[in-house]
Structures are given as C-alpha cells and as structure tokens.
Amino acid sequence: MTRLFLARDEERLVWVMALIDGDVWTYVANTGEFHRNEALRDDYLAGTIFSYEEVGVPEARRAVEAGVGLLDEETRAVPLRAWRADQHPMDPDVVFASLIADLG
C-alpha cells in the first residue's frame, strides 16, 4: 500500500514522502527521483524532527513541481552521492500511479 505525505520542519516544507509497504521514499529534486530514506523513516516512526501531512497525488505533484526536496550540493554532498548511485530509484509517475492503483 502507498501513502503520500508532505514533511515539514518548523520553517518550511522539506520532503515529499511516499510510504510504500513500510519503506519511506523521498523525492530528491536533485535527481528527479524518489529514493529510500532510512533517516526519514526513523523520524516518521518517532516524529522527532518533522511533522507529516498525508496528501493526495495532486498536492504531492505540485510540491514536486515546486522543487520541494532540492538539497544543497555542498552541505548534503554525502547523501546526494549515495542517491545518485542508487540503482533502484523510483520515478515520481510510478509512485503516484501506485497510490492511484491502491485507491482504485
């Protein structure tokens, strides 16, 4: 089952997140793909840094198109390097179609 969320810190919208069969995937604008994000999974389960708002495909798509998930290349170089090397990212259209299929 797929669910979509917007993850916010105290100041701004930070991630478009997909919860897919217990795995947390985040949209990384630098790569244009969703990638597994274990750190955000831990936060989602504990709720310590971000707040989460469940949304539908239209809201998630708007956030993706607005550039949510764009990371600073210098300060976030390590995770970006790992995500760029990711052999199994998910295209946003696949993630969104997955939610639509689950609802249907």
Side-chain angles (χ1 to χ4, degrees):
M1 178 168 192
T2 301
R3 295 168 62 195
L4 294 171
F5 297 85
L6 299 178
R8 300 176 187 276
D9 64 14
E10 291 182 11
E11 300 172 10
R12 64 190 172 91
L13 181 57
V14 179
W15 294 110
V16 177
M17 182 188 106
L19 181 62
I20 304 171
D21 298 327
D23 290 324
V24 168
W25 296 73
T26 52
Y27 178 74
V28 179
N30 306 65
T31 66
E33 304 278 350
F34 276 85
H35 301 273
R36 283 195 175 135
N37 187 328
E38 293 301 318
L40 195 66
R41 181 181 181 278
D42 293 345
D43 184 78
Y44 174 73
L45 294 174
T48 56
I49 297 173
F50 298 103
S51 61
Y52 300 88
E53 173 190 359
E54 190 163 5
V55 297
V57 171
E59 297 91 345
R61 190 177 300 279
R62 279 193 294 276
V64 163
E65 291 170 358
V68 171
L70 182 64
L71 303 178
D72 180 272
E73 293 285 340
E74 290 182 26
T75 62
R76 304 294 291 164
V78 173
L80 281 170
R81 190 170 26 258
W83 284 323
R84 285 189 173 114
D86 185 356
Q87 296 295 308
H88 304 288
M90 291 183 65
D91 184 271
D93 289 334
V94 171
V95 172
F96 299 151
S98 171
L99 176 68
I100 292 167
D102 285 346
L103 296 174

XYZ file of all heavy atoms in Angstrom:
828
model
N 0.830 -1.178 0.000
C 0.000 0.000 0.000
C 0.881 1.250 0.000
O 1.899 1.294 0.661
C -0.917 0.005 1.209
C -1.765 1.219 1.290
S -3.064 1.004 2.513
C -4.030 2.390 2.094
N 0.454 2.250 -0.723
C 1.196 3.504 -0.846
C 0.409 4.644 -0.215
O -0.792 4.739 -0.406
C 1.461 3.827 -2.332
O 2.200 2.757 -2.911
C 2.234 5.123 -2.486
N 1.140 5.484 0.521
C 0.572 6.715 1.076
C 1.564 7.834 0.820
O 2.776 7.605 0.833
C 0.329 6.561 2.581
C -0.711 5.510 2.894
C -0.766 5.136 4.355
N -1.131 6.273 5.189
C -0.968 6.282 6.515
N -0.440 5.248 7.127
N -1.331 7.334 7.215
N 1.071 9.037 0.591
C 1.921 10.198 0.329
C 1.810 11.202 1.464
O 0.721 11.409 2.007
C 1.509 10.878 -0.980
C 1.711 10.077 -2.253
C 1.049 10.786 -3.423
C 3.192 9.867 -2.522
N 2.931 11.842 1.783
C 2.981 12.836 2.847
C 3.841 14.011 2.425
O 4.760 13.865 1.615
C 3.606 12.242 4.124
C 2.834 11.122 4.726
C 3.007 9.822 4.290
C 1.916 11.362 5.742
C 2.294 8.775 4.849
C 1.190 10.318 6.310
C 1.384 9.026 5.857
N 3.578 15.149 3.016
C 4.484 16.284 2.961
C 5.126 16.364 4.335
O 4.424 16.350 5.358
C 3.737 17.577 2.644
C 2.995 17.603 1.298
C 2.266 18.925 1.128
C 3.950 17.351 0.143
N 6.453 16.430 4.372
C 7.185 16.513 5.638
C 7.702 17.934 5.801
O 8.352 18.475 4.919
C 8.348 15.521 5.638
N 7.386 18.523 6.954
C 7.771 19.905 7.242
C 8.604 19.960 8.512
O 8.331 19.225 9.466
C 6.534 20.768 7.484
C 5.583 20.843 6.349
C 4.337 21.664 6.736
N 3.344 21.603 5.699
C 3.317 22.384 4.627
N 4.226 23.308 4.483
N 2.378 22.251 3.710
N 9.576 20.882 8.496
C 10.217 21.214 9.757
C 9.480 22.436 10.298
O 8.397 22.763 9.814
C 11.729 21.424 9.611
C 12.110 22.612 8.732
O 11.252 23.461 8.423
O 13.296 22.691 8.362
N 10.015 23.134 11.256
C 9.303 24.273 11.834
C 9.156 25.435 10.867
O 8.287 26.284 11.038
C 10.011 24.739 13.102
C 9.895 23.736 14.229
C 10.558 24.222 15.491
O 10.937 25.406 15.579
O 10.683 23.401 16.411
N 10.008 25.493 9.843
C 10.035 26.650 8.960
C 9.486 26.411 7.561
O 8.962 27.325 6.943
C 11.476 27.155 8.828
C 12.088 27.560 10.142
C 13.566 27.871 10.021
O 14.076 27.954 8.886
O 14.204 28.021 11.071
N 9.631 25.192 7.036
C 9.319 25.015 5.619
C 8.982 23.573 5.274
O 9.226 22.646 6.055
C 10.490 25.476 4.766
C 11.737 24.650 4.984
C 12.967 25.235 4.319
N 14.137 24.492 4.735
C 14.635 23.446 4.109
N 14.079 22.999 3.020
N 15.702 22.821 4.576
N 8.455 23.420 4.089
C 8.203 22.104 3.518
C 9.532 21.550 3.039
O 10.245 22.207 2.279
C 7.209 22.233 2.362
C 6.800 20.978 1.636
C 6.212 19.951 2.574
C 5.796 21.337 0.551
N 9.906 20.346 3.487
C 11.225 19.798 3.206
C 11.176 18.625 2.231
O 12.001 18.539 1.326
C 11.930 19.364 4.516
C 13.299 18.771 4.241
C 12.040 20.553 5.472
N 10.224 17.726 2.415
C 10.182 16.500 1.606
C 8.776 16.191 1.103
O 7.795 16.442 1.802
C 10.609 15.282 2.431
C 12.017 15.239 2.894
C 12.454 15.368 4.179
C 13.182 15.020 2.102
N 13.815 15.250 4.219
C 14.290 15.034 2.955
C 13.394 14.817 0.738
C 15.590 14.846 2.505
C 14.694 14.637 0.288
C 15.775 14.650 1.163
N 8.729 15.560 -0.060
C 7.562 14.810 -0.489
C 7.937 13.369 -0.187
O 8.966 12.871 -0.650
C 7.268 14.992 -1.991
C 6.087 14.121 -2.395
C 7.002 16.456 -2.316
N 7.139 12.713 0.616
C 7.470 11.380 1.100
C 6.415 10.384 0.664
O 5.217 10.683 0.701
C 7.539 11.406 2.629
C 7.933 10.088 3.254
S 7.773 10.158 5.058
C 6.291 9.181 5.272
N 6.874 9.219 0.256
C 5.972 8.120 -0.054
C 6.254 6.988 0.925
O 7.414 6.600 1.108
C 6.172 7.645 -1.487
N 5.221 6.491 1.544
C 5.323 5.322 2.400
C 4.797 4.155 1.575
O 3.604 4.111 1.238
C 4.495 5.520 3.674
C 4.514 4.387 4.691
C 5.927 4.163 5.225
C 3.558 4.709 5.833
N 5.694 3.260 1.202
C 5.344 2.154 0.313
C 5.708 0.849 0.999
O 6.891 0.536 1.190
C 6.079 2.267 -1.045
C 5.774 3.616 -1.703
C 5.710 1.103 -1.954
C 6.597 3.914 -2.926
N 4.688 0.100 1.395
C 4.893 -1.193 2.057
C 5.900 -1.108 3.202
O 6.780 -1.955 3.335
C 5.320 -2.250 1.042
C 4.261 -2.496 -0.017
O 3.059 -2.386 0.301
O 4.630 -2.784 -1.174
N 5.807 -0.050 4.003
C 6.668 0.103 5.167
C 7.991 0.805 4.902
O 8.695 1.146 5.840
N 8.344 0.999 3.640
C 9.573 1.725 3.308
C 9.249 3.191 3.068
O 8.216 3.520 2.485
C 10.219 1.161 2.039
C 10.820 -0.218 2.250
O 11.365 -0.475 3.346
O 10.766 -1.032 1.318
N 10.153 4.068 3.483
C 9.994 5.502 3.262
C 10.872 5.908 2.087
O 12.072 5.635 2.061
C 10.361 6.309 4.525
C 10.486 7.787 4.215
C 9.301 6.085 5.604
N 10.233 6.554 1.126
C 10.902 7.080 -0.061
C 10.688 8.583 -0.079
O 9.592 9.050 0.226
C 10.286 6.483 -1.326
C 10.465 5.000 -1.456
C 9.827 4.027 -0.737
C 11.324 4.316 -2.357
N 10.237 2.788 -1.140
C 11.158 2.937 -2.146
C 12.218 4.752 -3.346
C 11.863 1.984 -2.872
C 12.907 3.794 -4.073
C 12.728 2.431 -3.828
N 11.721 9.340 -0.420
C 11.583 10.781 -0.528
C 11.959 11.226 -1.930
O 12.855 10.668 -2.559
C 12.466 11.524 0.493
O 13.805 11.054 0.406
C 11.939 11.348 1.890
N 11.257 12.251 -2.375
C 11.579 12.832 -3.668
C 12.790 13.737 -3.489
O 12.783 14.641 -2.651
C 10.404 13.640 -4.219
C 10.744 14.295 -5.535
C 10.819 13.537 -6.699
C 11.030 15.646 -5.598
C 11.165 14.130 -7.904
C 11.369 16.249 -6.796
C 11.443 15.475 -7.943
O 11.788 16.059 -9.128
N 13.834 13.472 -4.266
C 15.055 14.274 -4.242
C 15.094 15.038 -5.564
O 15.324 14.463 -6.625
C 16.309 13.385 -4.072
C 17.572 14.232 -4.069
C 16.205 12.555 -2.794
N 14.825 16.333 -5.483
C 14.734 17.140 -6.702
C 16.037 17.144 -7.491
O 16.024 17.232 -8.718
C 14.324 18.572 -6.347
N 17.166 17.004 -6.822
C 18.461 16.992 -7.500
C 18.578 15.835 -8.483
O 19.299 15.935 -9.473
C 19.602 16.898 -6.489
C 19.540 17.961 -5.431
O 18.606 17.973 -4.629
N 20.506 18.855 -5.400
N 17.903 14.723 -8.206
C 17.968 13.560 -9.089
C 16.683 13.383 -9.905
O 16.668 12.636 -10.873
C 18.203 12.260 -8.297
O 17.059 11.998 -7.474
C 19.466 12.339 -7.454
N 15.600 14.033 -9.443
C 14.316 13.887 -10.118
C 13.637 12.555 -9.842
O 12.720 12.158 -10.557
N 14.066 11.874 -8.784
C 13.542 10.538 -8.456
C 13.213 10.445 -6.966
O 13.691 11.249 -6.159
C 14.597 9.472 -8.783
C 15.090 9.468 -10.192
C 14.177 8.737 -11.161
O 13.228 8.043 -10.729
O 14.408 8.863 -12.360
N 12.447 9.424 -6.613
C 12.241 9.050 -5.219
C 13.322 8.035 -4.850
O 13.651 7.148 -5.646
C 10.866 8.397 -5.017
C 9.746 9.375 -4.838
C 9.112 9.934 -5.933
C 9.307 9.729 -3.570
C 8.063 10.822 -5.776
C 8.259 10.618 -3.397
C 7.633 11.165 -4.501
N 13.858 8.180 -3.638
C 14.891 7.269 -3.133
C 14.516 6.850 -1.720
O 13.899 7.626 -0.983
C 16.256 7.959 -3.087
C 16.717 8.451 -4.407
N 17.413 7.659 -5.289
C 16.578 9.660 -5.006
C 17.700 8.358 -6.369
N 17.190 9.577 -6.235
N 14.929 5.641 -1.341
C 14.723 5.215 0.044
C 15.478 6.157 0.962
O 16.580 6.585 0.660
C 15.219 3.789 0.252
C 14.262 2.782 -0.289
C 14.558 1.408 0.237
N 13.515 0.519 -0.254
C 13.751 -0.657 -0.762
N 14.964 -1.140 -0.813
N 12.751 -1.392 -1.187
N 14.848 6.450 2.105
C 15.428 7.387 3.054
C 15.222 6.819 4.458
O 14.185 7.038 5.084
C 14.763 8.762 2.891
C 15.415 9.837 3.716
O 15.936 9.587 4.787
N 15.352 11.062 3.203
N 16.225 6.092 4.932
C 16.125 5.440 6.243
C 16.080 6.451 7.382
O 15.393 6.234 8.379
C 17.281 4.462 6.440
C 17.222 3.263 5.505
C 15.953 2.435 5.652
O 15.505 2.204 6.797
O 15.402 2.027 4.620
N 16.795 7.556 7.249
C 16.776 8.569 8.314
C 15.380 9.156 8.465
O 14.895 9.358 9.588
C 17.797 9.667 8.020
N 14.714 9.415 7.349
C 13.360 9.956 7.441
C 12.391 8.886 7.937
O 11.440 9.198 8.651
C 12.891 10.538 6.104
C 11.668 11.426 6.234
C 11.979 12.691 7.029
C 11.112 11.790 4.884
N 12.644 7.634 7.606
C 11.804 6.550 8.131
C 11.856 6.544 9.658
O 10.833 6.451 10.329
C 12.250 5.200 7.584
C 11.402 4.046 8.077
C 11.923 2.716 7.512
N 11.100 1.620 7.950
C 11.213 1.016 9.138
N 12.130 1.412 10.007
N 10.417 0.025 9.462
N 13.077 6.679 10.186
C 13.221 6.709 11.642
C 12.471 7.896 12.240
O 11.816 7.769 13.267
C 14.702 6.774 12.033
C 15.448 5.497 11.672
O 14.806 4.463 11.388
O 16.692 5.545 11.661
N 12.578 9.058 11.586
C 11.870 10.234 12.084
C 10.364 10.059 11.969
O 9.621 10.430 12.879
C 12.297 11.501 11.331
C 11.634 12.727 11.932
O 12.117 13.181 12.994
O 10.626 13.193 11.382
N 9.903 9.484 10.868
C 8.468 9.270 10.681
C 7.919 8.395 11.815
O 6.854 8.668 12.363
C 8.207 8.625 9.321
C 6.769 8.251 9.108
C 5.804 9.222 8.870
C 6.355 6.919 9.161
C 4.476 8.878 8.682
C 5.036 6.572 8.976
C 4.100 7.548 8.738
O 2.776 7.211 8.558
N 8.654 7.371 12.172
C 8.190 6.468 13.230
C 8.248 7.133 14.605
O 7.389 6.884 15.452
C 9.015 5.184 13.228
C 8.844 4.319 11.981
C 9.815 3.150 12.008
C 7.409 3.828 11.854
N 9.256 7.993 14.826
C 9.427 8.632 16.130
C 8.822 10.034 16.193
O 8.512 10.526 17.278
C 10.910 8.715 16.481
N 8.694 10.693 15.042
C 8.115 12.036 14.990
C 8.906 13.078 15.740
O 8.334 13.909 16.436
N 10.218 13.070 15.593
C 11.029 13.979 16.388
C 11.397 15.291 15.693
O 11.512 16.310 16.354
C 12.334 13.291 16.834
O 13.027 12.823 15.673
C 12.036 12.116 17.744
N 11.597 15.278 14.387
C 12.051 16.487 13.698
C 10.962 17.082 12.810
O 10.707 18.276 12.838
C 13.310 16.203 12.850
C 14.455 15.775 13.763
C 13.706 17.424 12.024
C 15.690 15.301 13.035
N 10.317 16.244 12.041
C 9.349 16.714 11.050
C 7.917 16.430 11.484
O 7.655 15.526 12.263
C 9.594 16.030 9.700
C 10.940 16.341 9.109
C 11.968 15.426 9.168
C 11.178 17.561 8.487
C 13.215 15.709 8.625
C 12.412 17.854 7.946
C 13.437 16.927 8.008
N 7.014 17.223 10.912
C 5.591 16.902 11.023
C 5.156 16.408 9.648
O 5.727 16.799 8.630
C 4.779 18.127 11.460
O 4.898 19.168 10.507
N 4.159 15.555 9.629
C 3.747 14.880 8.403
C 2.277 15.119 8.134
O 1.450 14.932 9.017
C 4.028 13.376 8.507
C 5.497 13.090 8.714
C 6.044 13.048 9.998
C 6.344 12.923 7.632
C 7.389 12.827 10.191
C 7.703 12.697 7.814
C 8.213 12.650 9.096
O 9.558 12.441 9.279
N 1.993 15.501 6.891
C 0.622 15.726 6.460
C 0.338 14.780 5.307
O 1.010 14.841 4.271
C 0.450 17.173 5.999
C -0.891 17.466 5.376
C -0.932 18.844 4.718
O 0.061 19.590 4.757
O -1.987 19.156 4.152
N -0.636 13.903 5.474
C -0.973 12.994 4.381
C -1.687 13.776 3.283
O -2.556 14.607 3.568
C -1.854 11.848 4.869
C -2.012 10.764 3.828
C -2.515 9.456 4.387
O -2.842 9.368 5.589
O -2.579 8.493 3.605
N -1.283 13.540 2.046
C -1.824 14.254 0.897
C -2.132 13.281 -0.229
O -1.724 12.121 -0.199
C -0.848 15.344 0.386
C -0.611 16.411 1.442
C 0.471 14.744 -0.084
N -2.827 13.807 -1.224
C -3.101 13.028 -2.419
C -2.098 13.348 -3.508
O -1.189 14.169 -3.339
N -2.295 12.725 -4.647
C -1.391 12.910 -5.777
C -1.310 14.373 -6.227
O -0.211 14.875 -6.466
C -1.766 11.970 -6.940
C -0.984 12.306 -8.203
C -1.544 10.519 -6.533
N -2.440 15.097 -6.343
C -2.320 16.485 -6.824
C -1.419 17.353 -5.948
O -0.585 18.108 -6.464
C -3.763 16.997 -6.820
C -4.605 15.770 -6.941
C -3.857 14.709 -6.189
N -1.556 17.239 -4.630
C -0.736 18.039 -3.727
C 0.731 17.624 -3.813
O 1.627 18.470 -3.830
C -1.225 17.911 -2.281
C -2.618 18.436 -2.054
C -3.697 17.370 -2.230
O -3.427 16.289 -2.800
O -4.825 17.633 -1.806
N 0.978 16.322 -3.861
C 2.357 15.831 -3.956
C 2.985 16.259 -5.277
O 4.137 16.697 -5.319
C 2.383 14.313 -3.815
N 2.235 16.171 -6.353
C 2.759 16.569 -7.670
C 3.095 18.064 -7.688
O 4.135 18.470 -8.202
C 1.760 16.218 -8.761
C 2.335 16.389 -10.165
C 1.366 15.966 -11.245
N 0.960 14.593 -11.187
C 1.674 13.558 -11.660
N 2.845 13.768 -12.194
N 1.200 12.340 -11.595
N 2.231 18.876 -7.091
C 2.505 20.319 -7.028
C 3.791 20.599 -6.243
O 4.602 21.452 -6.627
C 1.332 21.076 -6.410
C 0.206 21.345 -7.389
C -0.785 22.354 -6.853
N -1.526 21.892 -5.694
C -2.626 21.145 -5.737
N -3.127 20.769 -6.907
N -3.232 20.776 -4.627
N 3.989 19.892 -5.155
C 5.204 20.088 -4.352
C 6.451 19.669 -5.139
O 7.471 20.366 -5.118
C 5.103 19.307 -3.042
N 6.359 18.565 -5.855
C 7.479 18.120 -6.695
C 7.779 19.181 -7.755
O 8.935 19.564 -7.958
C 7.164 16.747 -7.340
C 8.085 16.460 -8.515
C 7.254 15.640 -6.295
N 6.748 19.663 -8.409
C 6.935 20.673 -9.457
C 7.473 21.991 -8.902
O 8.146 22.737 -9.608
C 5.626 20.887 -10.213
C 5.247 19.692 -11.058
C 3.841 19.754 -11.628
O 3.101 20.713 -11.345
O 3.478 18.798 -12.359
N 7.209 22.263 -7.627
C 7.699 23.486 -6.985
C 9.151 23.351 -6.516
O 9.735 24.320 -6.038
C 6.806 23.855 -5.805
N 9.721 22.158 -6.633
C 11.118 21.968 -6.258
C 11.348 21.520 -4.834
O 12.482 21.579 -4.348
N 10.304 21.048 -4.160
C 10.495 20.517 -2.811
C 11.441 19.317 -2.910
O 11.332 18.503 -3.824
C 9.146 20.115 -2.186
C 9.345 19.361 -0.882
C 8.296 21.353 -1.970
N 12.373 19.235 -1.985
C 13.342 18.150 -1.992
C 14.649 18.511 -2.672
O 15.501 17.651 -2.868
N 14.830 19.785 -3.001
C 16.091 20.237 -3.594
C 17.099 20.438 -2.473
O 16.872 21.211 -1.550
C 15.896 21.537 -4.374
C 17.145 22.071 -5.073
C 17.614 21.103 -6.158
C 16.859 23.438 -5.679
N 18.206 19.714 -2.551
C 19.213 19.762 -1.494
C 20.422 20.581 -1.914
O 20.809 20.582 -3.087
C 19.663 18.343 -1.145
C 18.559 17.385 -0.715
C 19.130 16.003 -0.456
C 17.831 17.902 0.500
N 21.035 21.236 -0.948
C 22.251 21.996 -1.190
C 23.374 21.016 -1.547
O 23.651 20.076 -0.793
C 22.615 22.802 0.058
C 23.865 23.612 -0.131
O 24.961 23.066 0.132
O 23.758 24.787 -0.557
N 24.014 21.245 -2.676
C 25.043 20.335 -3.182
C 26.255 20.250 -2.262
O 26.906 19.210 -2.202
C 25.487 20.769 -4.584
C 24.418 20.629 -5.644
C 24.167 19.201 -6.090
O 25.041 18.328 -5.879
O 23.083 18.957 -6.650
N 26.573 21.312 -1.539
C 27.751 21.305 -0.680
C 27.472 20.674 0.679
O 28.204 19.802 1.125
C 28.282 22.723 -0.498
C 28.913 23.279 -1.761
C 29.485 24.657 -1.546
O 29.843 25.005 -0.400
O 29.571 25.397 -2.542
N 26.415 21.110 1.333
C 26.163 20.618 2.690
C 25.551 19.224 2.709
O 25.616 18.553 3.724
C 25.254 21.581 3.478
O 23.985 21.664 2.818
C 25.891 22.960 3.594
N 24.969 18.794 1.621
C 24.320 17.470 1.557
C 25.003 16.560 0.536
O 24.385 15.679 -0.055
C 22.848 17.645 1.222
C 22.086 18.554 2.192
C 21.969 18.003 3.569
N 21.073 16.870 3.493
C 20.942 15.946 4.414
N 21.631 16.030 5.506
N 20.119 14.948 4.261
N 26.319 16.773 0.331
C 27.066 16.030 -0.689
C 27.046 14.518 -0.454
O 26.924 13.743 -1.414
C 28.501 16.533 -0.764
N 27.157 14.078 0.784
C 27.232 12.633 1.066
C 25.933 11.917 0.690
O 25.956 10.954 -0.071
C 27.649 12.375 2.530
C 27.554 10.900 2.865
C 29.060 12.895 2.772
N 24.768 12.365 1.201
C 23.557 11.652 0.779
C 23.273 11.798 -0.714
O 22.784 10.861 -1.349
C 22.444 12.257 1.631
C 22.982 13.531 2.164
C 24.464 13.391 2.197
N 23.602 12.952 -1.278
C 23.372 13.122 -2.720
C 24.226 12.151 -3.535
O 23.756 11.580 -4.519
C 23.639 14.565 -3.149
C 22.526 15.545 -2.828
C 22.988 16.977 -3.077
C 21.279 15.227 -3.630
N 25.448 11.935 -3.110
C 26.311 10.976 -3.808
C 25.689 9.574 -3.756
O 25.642 8.856 -4.759
C 27.705 10.996 -3.185
C 28.738 10.240 -3.964
C 30.180 10.447 -3.488
N 30.399 10.822 -2.095
C 30.676 12.055 -1.661
N 30.750 13.057 -2.516
N 30.872 12.285 -0.379
N 25.174 9.215 -2.602
C 24.549 7.888 -2.457
C 23.291 7.790 -3.312
O 23.060 6.769 -3.966
C 24.228 7.630 -0.982
N 22.472 8.826 -3.309
C 21.244 8.778 -4.097
C 21.534 8.777 -5.593
O 20.829 8.141 -6.364
C 20.305 9.910 -3.702
C 19.609 9.630 -2.395
C 19.153 8.422 -1.958
C 19.290 10.556 -1.373
N 18.572 8.550 -0.712
C 18.642 9.857 -0.332
C 19.497 11.923 -1.229
C 18.187 10.460 0.826
C 19.034 12.530 -0.074
C 18.398 11.805 0.945
N 22.572 9.475 -6.011
C 22.931 9.456 -7.437
C 23.438 8.081 -7.864
O 23.317 7.704 -9.018
C 23.950 10.541 -7.740
C 23.315 11.917 -7.757
C 24.264 12.993 -8.264
N 23.534 14.233 -8.399
C 23.751 15.327 -7.665
N 24.702 15.330 -6.744
N 23.026 16.405 -7.856
N 24.004 7.337 -6.927
C 24.491 5.986 -7.217
C 23.398 4.929 -7.050
O 23.622 3.757 -7.377
C 25.669 5.660 -6.300
N 22.247 5.326 -6.560
C 21.121 4.414 -6.316
C 20.745 3.684 -7.603
O 20.434 4.309 -8.616
C 19.937 5.228 -5.794
C 18.750 4.387 -5.383
O 18.775 3.149 -5.564
O 17.777 4.984 -4.878
N 20.775 2.371 -7.551
C 20.432 1.556 -8.715
C 18.935 1.296 -8.837
O 18.486 0.758 -9.853
C 21.174 0.218 -8.643
C 22.674 0.365 -8.715
C 23.129 0.919 -10.048
O 22.764 0.415 -11.102
N 23.915 1.988 -10.008
N 18.173 1.671 -7.808
C 16.736 1.375 -7.811
C 15.886 2.566 -7.362
O 15.032 2.418 -6.473
C 16.448 0.163 -6.929
C 17.225 -1.050 -7.333
N 16.940 -1.767 -8.466
C 18.299 -1.632 -6.776
C 17.798 -2.757 -8.580
N 18.646 -2.699 -7.569
N 16.070 3.733 -7.970
C 15.192 4.860 -7.624
C 13.810 4.625 -8.225
O 13.622 3.711 -9.037
C 15.888 6.057 -8.277
C 16.539 5.467 -9.478
C 17.002 4.096 -9.043
N 12.864 5.439 -7.819
C 11.513 5.331 -8.373
C 11.123 6.651 -9.023
O 11.242 7.714 -8.398
C 10.509 4.960 -7.282
C 10.709 3.551 -6.787
S 9.485 3.055 -5.556
C 8.020 3.077 -6.523
N 10.633 6.571 -10.232
C 10.147 7.736 -10.948
C 8.896 8.258 -10.246
O 8.059 7.468 -9.792
C 9.829 7.336 -12.388
C 9.416 8.522 -13.223
O 8.197 8.829 -13.244
O 10.292 9.129 -13.843
N 8.737 9.576 -10.138
C 7.544 10.113 -9.483
C 6.239 9.597 -10.091
O 5.291 9.306 -9.349
C 7.685 11.626 -9.664
C 9.138 11.855 -9.798
C 9.675 10.649 -10.517
N 6.181 9.458 -11.406
C 4.948 8.973 -12.028
C 4.612 7.551 -11.577
O 3.441 7.202 -11.429
C 5.046 9.040 -13.549
C 5.008 10.472 -14.065
O 4.434 11.351 -13.368
O 5.553 10.723 -15.156
N 5.627 6.736 -11.338
C 5.400 5.368 -10.849
C 4.859 5.410 -9.422
O 3.923 4.688 -9.077
C 6.698 4.538 -10.929
C 6.545 3.194 -10.233
C 7.123 4.348 -12.378
N 5.445 6.275 -8.590
C 4.983 6.411 -7.202
C 3.530 6.884 -7.177
O 2.694 6.319 -6.471
C 5.894 7.375 -6.417
C 5.307 7.674 -5.042
C 7.291 6.795 -6.279
N 3.236 7.910 -7.968
C 1.879 8.450 -7.971
C 0.877 7.442 -8.528
O -0.236 7.305 -8.013
C 1.837 9.763 -8.748
C 2.713 10.844 -8.166
C 3.255 11.818 -8.966
C 3.005 10.888 -6.802
C 4.066 12.824 -8.449
C 3.811 11.880 -6.267
C 4.339 12.848 -7.094
N 1.261 6.712 -9.563
C 0.381 5.677 -10.129
C 0.130 4.570 -9.126
O -0.968 4.003 -9.067
C 0.973 5.121 -11.418
N 1.118 4.277 -8.306
C 0.980 3.248 -7.276
C -0.099 3.640 -6.278
O -0.929 2.813 -5.881
C 2.320 3.045 -6.581
O 2.209 2.230 -5.463
N -0.113 4.910 -5.875
C -1.144 5.369 -4.947
C -2.522 5.296 -5.597
O -3.478 4.826 -4.995
C -0.866 6.800 -4.474
C -1.966 7.385 -3.573
C -1.998 6.672 -2.235
C -1.797 8.857 -3.380
N -2.606 5.747 -6.829
C -3.894 5.708 -7.543
C -4.391 4.285 -7.669
O -5.580 4.010 -7.451
C -3.755 6.398 -8.908
C -3.529 7.914 -8.697
C -4.983 6.162 -9.770
C -3.080 8.656 -9.935
N -3.488 3.348 -7.971
C -3.880 1.938 -8.099
C -4.351 1.390 -6.754
O -5.335 0.629 -6.708
C -2.705 1.112 -8.616
N -3.707 1.784 -5.669
C -4.117 1.317 -4.338
C -5.500 1.841 -3.966
O -6.247 1.180 -3.258
C -3.106 1.746 -3.265
C -1.817 0.929 -3.302
O -1.804 -0.125 -3.966
O -0.841 1.354 -2.673
N -5.828 3.047 -4.434
C -7.131 3.626 -4.130
C -8.250 3.030 -4.968
O -9.402 3.063 -4.580
C -7.095 5.155 -4.334
C -6.174 5.920 -3.404
C -6.129 7.390 -3.800
C -6.607 5.765 -1.955
N -7.861 2.534 -6.146
C -8.860 2.016 -7.091
C -9.320 0.690 -6.716
O -10.273 0.171 -6.505
